[in-house]
Amino acid sequence: MKNLPTDLLRTFVTINQLGGFTPAGERLGRSQPAISLQVKRLEELLDIRLFHRSSGIQLTEEGQLLLGYAQKMLDLNDAIVSRLSAPKVSGSVRLGIPNDFEVSFLATAIGRFAQAYPNVTLDVSSDISANLLQDYGKGEYDLVMAIEENGQLQPRLTDYITEPLVWIRGNNLMLEPGEPLPLILYPKGCLYRKTIVNALNQANLPWRIVYSTSSLLGIHAAVKAGLGISALSKSTVPEGLEASVTFAPCPSLGNLSIGFCYEPNKLTSASHMLLDYLKQGLHAL
């Protein structure tokens, strides 16, 4: 049996995550030729082609199959290393995360952290970002992941990434020309809601709210049922929904910043460890 080196698998997964050999090299601290050589070695080991060379970084069918296995192998490798080599950490962390990142982050970064540090108690709450930041100011969280408008002069968030806010809709949605756009929104105070309403008003497009909920699954279900349209950060759009930056007649909604709010000198060892996991998860989106 052949052994697959984890460094080759990590390079392959990182290329797919970042969409190119050059950014993967920057993330992994290797040159572009070195990254290409690692991909070639992995292809030779498995006797397959991982990428369609004529169409950029598009995975072949075999590459798609390997991707799932490679991610599981890396997750297991990282969990073992963290569990056996990381310092013993205990305590509790109060974490706030935005509603639409609840599912993806609970299943990935937060889940891996819980496996690596079983002696740390996590108290995780999800809400709209405005409420999370307000409650953080009251001392109700140790660490908050949140969303804010992009390009602010004095951003509250650090270690952030920038993502587009995209329109989402079900494939069974039928919009009547000239009729008010049916909107599915989070409650008042949500940045998504504010951005959507402002953009439609500036474009002089009529709209009406057909469904409002603080539940991410409620948003998904209502959109999938064809009740109306909504918008989410690009990386949180679930399978089965159509998403695009522009959607006639709706205007572009621009970009958002997704990052963290915390005071470094007040973080415990457990909070620092969790923050590292969250940063890695966020920048892998």
Side-chain angles (χ1 to χ4, degrees):
M1 294 292 291
K2 299 176 181 178
N3 293 317
L4 299 179
T6 54
D7 62 327
L8 302 186
L9 295 177
R10 195 176 301 279
T11 294
F12 168 62
V13 170
T14 304
I15 291 170
N16 185 71
Q17 288 175 340
L18 301 183
F21 283 47
T22 299
E26 294 173 352
R27 169 74 62 84
L28 298 172
R30 295 188 178 95
S31 66
Q32 193 273 337
I35 293 294
S36 298
L37 183 59
Q38 286 192 309
V39 171
K40 183 178 179 181
R41 285 178 57 201
L42 185 56
E43 290 180 326
E44 290 174 347
L45 272 172
L46 296 171
D47 194 24
I48 60 174
R49 297 299 293 269
L50 297 174
F51 299 99
H52 292 294
R53 293 297 193 270
S54 60
S55 54
I57 311 300
Q58 183 178 352
L59 291 174
T60 62
E61 185 176 345
E62 293 84 358
Q64 289 281 4
L65 180 62
L66 176 62
L67 183 63
Y69 287 118
Q71 188 62 68
K72 291 177 183 178
M73 291 175 67
L74 291 174
D75 288 345
L76 181 59
N77 174 85
D78 296 347
I80 293 172
V81 172
S82 296
R83 189 70 177 268
L84 297 180
S85 64
K88 302 303 180 184
V89 178
S90 60
S92 62
V93 183
R94 299 169 301 165
L95 170 68
I97 58 176
N99 292 2
D100 46 329
F101 283 84
E102 179 182 7
V103 174
S104 58
F105 263 69
L106 283 177
T108 55
I110 297 176
R112 291 198 296 269
F113 176 85
Q115 293 178 358
Y117 300 98
N119 294 326
V120 175
T121 301
L122 295 179
D123 181 359
V124 185
S125 300
S126 64
D127 204 337
I128 61 175
S129 292
N131 293 342
L132 293 174
L133 293 171
Q134 184 179 49
D135 290 341
Y136 175 80
K138 298 177 182 177
E140 296 184 16
Y141 295 110
D142 302 306
L143 169 65
V144 160
M145 178 179 172
I147 299 168
E148 68 179 358
E149 294 180 47
N150 188 46
Q152 294 198 72
L153 294 178
Q154 294 182 320
R156 294 191 63 179
L157 306 181
T158 61
D159 309 302
Y160 59 83
I161 65 170
T162 300
E163 275 204 341
L165 184 61
V166 296
W167 293 103
I168 60 170
R169 57 202 179 278
N171 54 22
N172 58 345
L173 177 66
M174 298 293 291
L175 295 179
E176 296 295 332
E179 291 296 315
L181 293 166
L183 302 180
I184 299 166
L185 303 176
Y186 281 119
K188 290 182 179 179
C190 173
L191 179 58
Y192 292 174
R193 178 176 177 138
K194 174 185 173 183
T195 304
I196 293 169
V197 169
N198 287 346
L200 294 179
N201 286 342
Q202 290 176 9
N204 292 318
L205 292 173
W207 54 271
R208 62 189 178 94
I209 298 175
V210 297
Y211 190 72
S212 178
T213 177
S214 59
S215 165
L216 171 65
L217 295 180
I219 295 283
H220 291 178
V223 173
K224 192 170 293 186
L227 295 183
I229 61 175
S230 189
L232 290 173
S233 180
K234 182 180 179 181
S235 63
T236 66
V237 178
E239 293 184 6
L241 295 181
E242 298 180 17
S244 58
V245 173
T246 58
F247 169 48
C250 303
S252 172
L253 298 172
N255 295 324
L256 300 169
S257 294
I258 309 163
F260 304 97
C261 184
Y262 60 94
E263 295 183 49
N265 60 340
K266 291 186 178 181
L267 291 182
T268 63
S269 296
S271 298
H272 271 294
M273 293 293 186
L274 176 59
L275 178 60
D276 287 341
Y277 270 74
L278 295 176
K279 287 180 182 178
Q280 292 175 20
L282 180 62
H283 288 273
L285 292 177

